[in-house]
Amino acid sequence: MAKDSSDLFGALFDPPSLVRSVPVLVPMPAPGPYSYSVPEDMVVEPGSVVQVPLGPRQVIGVVWDDGDASKVDPKKLRPITKTFDCPALKPEMRRFVDWVSAYTLSPPGLVARMALRAPAAFDPEPMIEGLRLTEGRPERLTPARERVMELAAEGHGWTKSGLAHAAGVSTSVVDGLVKQGVFETIFLPAPPVVAEPDPDYVEPRLEGPQKQAASEILDDVKKGTFAVSLIDGVTGSGKTEVYFEAVAETLRQGKQVLILLPEIALTAAFLDRFHDRFGSRPAEWHSDLSPRMREKVWRQAVTGEVKVVAGARSALFLPFDNLGLIIVDEEHDPAYKQEDRVFYNARDMAVVRARIADFPVVLVSATPSVESQVNGSSGRYNTIHLHTRFGDAAMPDLHLVDMRRHPPERGGFLSPVLLRGIGKTIEKGEQALLFLNRRGYAPLTLCRVCGHRFQCPQCSSWLVEHRFRNQLQCHQCGHNEPTPDHCPECGTFDHLVACGPGVERIAEEAEKHFPEARTIVLSSDLMGVKRLRLELEAIVKGEADIVIGTQLVAKGHNFPLMTLVGIVDADLGLANGDPRAAERTFQLLSQVTGRAGRTGLKSHGLLQTYQPQHPVMQAIVSGDASAFYEREIVEREKAMLPPFGRLASVIISADSRAEAETHARGLRAAAPQATGIMLLGPAEAPLALIRGRYRFRLLVHGRRNSDMQSFLRTLLTNGPKERGSIHVQLDIDPQSFL
C-alpha cells in the first residue's frame, strides 16, 4: 500500500532537491490511482485538482490519499502538467468517493468523475468589465443621468446593464456618461448564480402538527451531528414547509444545504415556493442546465458562494465547501436509482455522505419506501408523522370502479362511472385529472390480416405508436420510424390496429365525450422542459378542464382547482414479477390521487380496476397505509427480501446471444461457496435485447449481514474475463428487474 495521508503530506513538502511522487485518481475505469511526479515548482496536496498525461492525452485528475506512489521511483514517472486554481476536494468527499466505489464495486475513477463534471470551472471565473463613478461631471445633467449618478454615488462597482436596469434608463444613457469621463472602467468578480437566501425573509406559516415536526428536526440540525429524520406525511400536509425550517437553521449556521428532488426539471413550483420563503431561488443542478451554468454552479458550490442547491441525484457528488444538511424529497422515488456506469441509489448514498461528514439528513415522502419504514420502526431513523393536511383540507374520497361491472363502451377505456364524474366536475368549473402511466397512443400496433407486430429492430420490445408525431418509437433505445399505412409483412393497407391505450388515446376519447372541454396532455416525450412548465402554469391558473398525464403529474404539483382524479388502469403496475410491484403501485396511486383537493375543495378519486379485492386497491381506498406497510413488511421478511436480505444483480451483455449465455454460465461455474448467499440463474433478462445487445442475468440473494461485495469480487476474479463484445455490469441493491 502507498503512504497514508500524513506520510503523503510529508512527502509533498520535502526539500525541492528531491523528486516527489503522488497518486492521482483519473476519471477512467482503472482499479485505483496512478503515480505521477510533482515538478519542483508545483505545490499539491490530497484533493488537489490537476491535469496529467494519460497515454497521448491530457486528462483531469485528483491527487488522492492512497496508491502506490511511494513504491515507484519518481524519476521514472511522468510529471503532473498543471494544477488548477480551485479548492481541493475535502477529505470527507474523498472518503465518500472511496466508499461509493467499494460498495457499488465501481472503479473509483468513474465515481470521482461524477464529482468533476465541470472541467471549465476548475479555474476561477474571469473578471467582468464594470463601471465606477469618478469625480467628473457631465456637461448637461438630465433626470435620467441624475438617477444613474445617485445610484453609483455609494462607490460600488456596477455592470453597465445592471446600473441601467436599476436606474430605469437605457444603456445609451450610461454610455454617454462614460464618454464624458463620469465613469471609469474597472473589473468586477463574476456575479453569483443566485442571490443569497435569507432564512428570516418571511415568518413561517406552520400549524400545530407542522410546528411539532419542525421542532424535532431543528433539534438535530442545531446539534450539527449525523442523524436521519423521516418525515412521513400525507399529500398536502406541509412537509416542504417543515423541512424549510431545517434549511433556514442550517443557513443561520453559515452552512450549505443540498435538496435532492427526483425530477428537478419539472419542479418550477418548488423553486417558486423556495423563493417565497427565502427571498431567492436555490441554484439548480440537473441535466437540462446549460454547460456555462453548470460550470458556475459547480465553482460556486465548491467555493461556498452558493448556499443552497436543489438538484437531481447527480447533485449528491458536488464537492461542497461546507455542506451541513441534505434533504431527500420524495425519498421513495425510483428516479433516485442510477443505472448507468456507476449503479447507485442517491437516497442511500445521501445517508452515507451525511454519516461520513457527520451532519443530519432528512428524508421526506407521503409514501415512504419499505426500507425507510423499517429503519424508522427499528429506531435507526427518527420518524415524524403528519397525518392531516395543512389548513384542515380533507383528503379526497376514493372509490374503486370495478371494470367487470362497469365496462367502457366498445373501443373505449373510460368507464361510464368515470365519465359521469368528469362531466360533473367540469360543470362546476373544476378540473379533472386522468392518469395513465403509459406514454404515446398505443403500446402495440399489429396487422389484423397476418398478425404482424411492430417490434424494435434493436430491442426485444414493441414499438409504441405516437400518433401526435405520426411515429412508432422504441422506449428502450429511442429508435423511431414513420407510422406506416400498410403492413410490411403482407402489404395489406388500412388493416393496422392500435392495441391498448396510451395517454394520447385517452385524450382522444376524452375529447370525443367532452368536445367543449379544454384538454392538456402531460407526458415527458411530448414537450421540452420549458413548454412543460408553461403547461403546468396554465393548469394552476385554471386554463384547462381535463388533464391527462403520466407519472410526472404525480410528483409534488399543487393544482388548486383539481377535484377529481381518475386512474385509468390501476392494475398496470401489478402486472410484472418485480418484488416491489405492490409497493410501487401503492406509492404511485397514492401520490396521484393526492393531487386532488389540496386547497380544501371537496374532491374525489376513482380507480378503474379489474382486481378490486387486491390488497393494494383496498389499502388505497381505505386510507389505511399502515396496514399495507405491515403486510408488505411481513412478506418481505418471510422471503428475506430487502431490507431483511440483500440482492445484487450481475448483467452480462454481448453482441450475440451465445456469447452472453456462455459467459454467464462461466461466471456461475466460478461462484465461490459462501454461507447465507445463493446464486440464481443465469437466465435471459425480461428485456433480452437492448440496443442490439443480448442480455443475461445472475441474481445474488443473501442474508442481511452477507458480505455481498466479497462474494462478487471472488466471482469476477475466478470467472472468465471480459473479451470481445462481452460486458459485465454489477448492480448492488437493484431496483429494476428488467
Side-chain angles (χ1 to χ4, degrees):
M1 294 294 291
K3 302 175 182 178
D4 62 22
S5 297
S6 59
D7 292 334
L8 185 57
F9 272 100
L12 297 175
F13 296 99
D14 283 340
S17 59
L18 299 179
V19 179
R20 299 162 291 160
S21 64
V22 293
V24 176
L25 194 60
V26 295
M28 62 170 289
Y34 292 135
S35 298
Y36 287 89
S37 64
V38 182
E40 289 188 7
D41 58 348
M42 185 179 291
V43 176
V44 296
E45 61 177 314
S48 293
V49 182
V50 297
Q51 179 178 292
V52 294
L54 186 67
R57 300 177 296 139
Q58 294 287 327
V59 299
I60 303 298
V62 184
V63 177
W64 216 242
D65 304 87
D66 195 15
D68 294 326
S70 62
K71 294 187 178 181
V72 182
D73 182 356
K75 295 179 180 178
K76 297 179 180 179
L77 297 176
R78 301 175 76 180
I80 295 173
T81 310
K82 174 184 178 181
T83 60
F84 290 93
D85 185 11
C86 71
L89 267 62
K90 292 184 172 294
E92 55 265 28
M93 186 65 193
R94 304 196 300 274
R95 286 175 56 203
F96 178 60
V97 168
D98 283 334
W99 198 98
V100 174
S101 170
Y103 186 81
T104 63
L105 297 177
S106 303
L110 292 186
V111 181
R113 180 162 66 178
M114 295 191 291
L116 303 173
R117 295 290 293 272
F122 298 157
D123 282 320
E125 292 185 72
M127 304 284 277
I128 59 174
E129 194 172 287
L131 300 173
R132 184 170 58 199
L133 192 65
T134 66
E135 297 296 327
R137 288 293 175 266
E139 298 173 357
R140 184 169 59 89
L141 188 62
T142 65
R145 287 179 170 179
E146 188 172 7
R147 289 201 302 275
V148 172
M149 292 172 64
E150 284 178 0
L151 274 174
E154 296 179 0
H156 302 304
W158 289 81
T159 62
K160 181 172 71 174
S161 59
L163 182 57
H165 177 75
V169 302
S170 68
T171 55
S172 61
V173 175
V174 180
D175 286 333
L177 292 171
V178 172
K179 288 180 181 178
Q180 295 187 42
V182 177
F183 285 96
E184 64 179 350
T185 299
I186 60 173
F187 287 93
L188 303 171
V193 290
V194 288
E196 186 166 328
D198 179 1
D200 302 308
Y201 181 71
V202 297
E203 187 73 22
R205 290 176 53 246
L206 300 177
E207 297 177 345
Q210 290 80 28
K211 285 183 179 178
Q212 178 60 35
S215 175
E216 288 189 49
I217 293 178
L218 287 177
D219 287 343
D220 289 334
V221 173
K222 289 175 180 177
K223 291 175 186 174
T225 55
F226 174 71
V228 185
S229 298
L230 171 64
I231 303 178
D232 175 6
V234 297
T235 55
S237 60
K239 297 184 294 295
T240 303
E241 284 70 20
V242 168
Y243 74 67
F244 274 174
E245 295 315 295
V247 172
E249 179 59 30
T250 306
L251 292 173
R252 292 187 190 102
Q253 295 175 4
K255 298 177 182 178
Q256 295 168 291
V257 179
L258 169 61
I259 303 174
L260 291 178
L261 300 162
E263 300 282 352
I264 183 64
L266 308 177
T267 51
F270 169 81
L271 300 176
D272 290 339
R273 288 174 74 178
F274 189 95
H275 180 277
D276 292 344
R277 171 64 179 84
F278 296 100
S280 68
R281 288 190 168 203
E284 297 180 57
W285 182 270
H286 52 82
S287 58
D288 203 54
L289 278 186
S290 68
R292 182 72 183 121
M293 183 56 69
R294 180 179 290 269
E295 293 157 11
K296 283 177 169 287
V297 174
W298 191 96
R299 179 79 192 187
Q300 294 181 20
V302 78
T303 59
E305 294 171 78
V306 162
K307 299 302 181 184
V308 182
V309 174
R313 59 179 182 247
S314 60
L316 185 61
F317 290 88
L318 281 171
F320 290 90
D321 173 57
N322 187 20
L323 187 59
L325 175 69
I326 297 179
I327 307 287
V328 185
D329 206 346
E330 307 289 358
E331 64 88 26
H332 67 277
D333 200 292
Y336 283 124
K337 181 63 187 271
Q338 174 164 298
E339 296 178 328
D340 180 40
R341 292 179 181 265
V342 179
F343 285 44
Y344 68 92
N345 189 313
R347 176 200 65 208
D348 299 340
M349 296 304 106
V351 175
V352 172
R353 183 162 186 186
R355 181 66 179 260
I356 289 173
D358 197 25
F359 59 74
V361 59
V362 178
L363 310 181
V364 186
S365 178
T367 53
S369 62
V370 168
E371 287 85 350
S372 293
Q373 290 277 15
V374 171
N375 281 328
S377 61
S378 67
R380 296 181 67 191
Y381 295 174
N382 173 33
T383 304
I384 301 167
H385 297 284
L386 291 171
H387 297 295
T388 58
R389 282 185 159 180
F390 184 79
D392 294 325
M395 296 293 291
D397 293 329
L398 303 180
H399 302 279
L400 298 177
V401 179
D402 189 339
M403 297 295 278
R404 300 167 300 181
R405 298 177 55 194
H406 306 284
E409 65 181 39
R410 185 177 177 83
F413 300 93
L414 303 178
S415 72
V417 176
L418 182 53
L419 290 172
R420 285 196 298 271
I422 296 170
K424 291 178 181 178
T425 301
I426 295 174
E427 287 175 8
K428 292 188 292 185
E430 296 167 358
Q431 294 172 326
L433 168 65
L434 299 180
F435 171 78
L436 177 62
N437 200 21
R438 187 182 275 156
R439 293 177 287 163
Y441 184 85
L444 171 64
T445 302
L446 57 78
C447 174
R448 281 185 290 198
V449 175
C450 70
H452 173 74
R453 299 183 177 197
F454 287 83
Q455 184 171 339
C456 176
Q458 302 179 85
C459 304
S460 52
S461 60
W462 309 121
L463 292 178
V464 177
E465 180 182 357
H466 288 258
R467 191 161 291 187
F468 291 179
R469 298 201 304 259
N470 194 35
Q471 280 186 348
L472 297 177
Q473 184 176 355
C474 173
H475 287 172
Q476 301 302 323
C477 69
H479 167 83
N480 63 79
E481 54 192 61
T483 304
D485 55 4
H486 66 280
C487 175
E489 191 71 24
C490 67
T492 307
F493 283 81
D494 300 327
H495 277 73
L496 300 181
V497 60
C499 299
V503 286
E504 295 177 16
R505 195 168 193 175
I506 298 302
E508 183 179 86
E509 185 175 351
E511 289 169 358
K512 169 189 167 185
H513 289 284
F514 308 100
E516 302 300 319
R518 299 166 296 175
T519 303
I520 285 181
V521 178
L522 295 180
S523 178
S524 58
D525 60 333
L526 288 178
M527 58 194 75
V529 172
K530 289 183 180 178
R531 181 184 164 190
L532 182 57
R533 287 182 173 178
L534 291 174
E535 299 278 32
L536 291 170
E537 289 174 8
I539 297 169
V540 171
K541 294 175 183 176
E543 297 171 0
D545 302 308
I546 302 175
V547 180
I548 298 111
T550 58
Q551 66 178 359
L552 66 85
V553 302
K555 299 179 180 179
H557 304 298
N558 187 13
F559 303 131
L561 294 177
M562 190 75 67
T563 59
L564 174 67
V565 171
I567 309 296
V568 176
D569 187 353
D571 307 323
L572 183 60
L574 299 172
N576 61 58
D578 189 334
R580 291 186 176 87
E583 177 192 3
R584 293 269 172 81
T585 301
F586 175 80
Q587 290 167 338
L588 184 58
L589 298 185
S590 297
Q591 293 279 343
V592 174
T593 53
R595 297 310 104 201
R598 293 169 70 93
T599 55
L601 295 173
K602 180 70 174 175
S603 60
H604 303 274
L606 297 174
L607 290 78
Q608 297 189 157
T609 175
Y610 288 93
Q611 306 177 68
Q613 298 307 313
H614 195 286
V616 170
M617 303 305 157
Q618 292 298 313
I620 290 173
V621 296
S622 68
D624 192 356
S626 60
F628 169 77
Y629 279 112
E630 286 173 14
R631 177 183 174 278
E632 193 70 12
I633 288 169
V634 168
E635 294 297 321
R636 294 272 189 97
E637 191 167 14
K638 285 180 182 176
M640 284 183 58
L641 290 172
F644 304 101
R646 299 193 62 195
L647 292 175
S649 179
V650 185
I651 305 109
I652 302 97
S653 64
D655 290 342
S656 73
R657 186 181 185 282
E659 274 187 289
E661 183 175 14
T662 299
H663 195 88
R665 292 190 181 281
L667 286 175
R668 171 61 192 251
Q673 293 296 318
T675 303
I677 293 182
M678 178 172 53
L679 183 62
L680 306 173
E684 251 186 341
L687 287 174
L689 179 67
I690 294 183
R691 295 182 177 88
R693 293 183 63 81
Y694 294 83
R695 305 166 70 244
F696 276 76
R697 293 172 60 99
L698 294 164
L699 186 65
V700 186
H701 183 198
R703 296 174 183 166
R704 184 169 185 171
N705 60 353
S706 301
D707 190 349
M708 194 75 75
Q709 282 77 7
S710 293
F711 178 88
L712 289 168
R713 287 191 193 97
T714 304
L715 173 73
L716 296 180
T717 301
N718 296 344
K721 306 308 174 191
E722 296 180 40
R723 292 186 177 85
S725 67
I726 294 288
H727 179 64
V728 177
Q729 179 66 61
L730 303 179
D731 184 0
I732 309 293
D733 306 326
Q735 296 288 309
S736 170
F737 293 85
L738 296 178

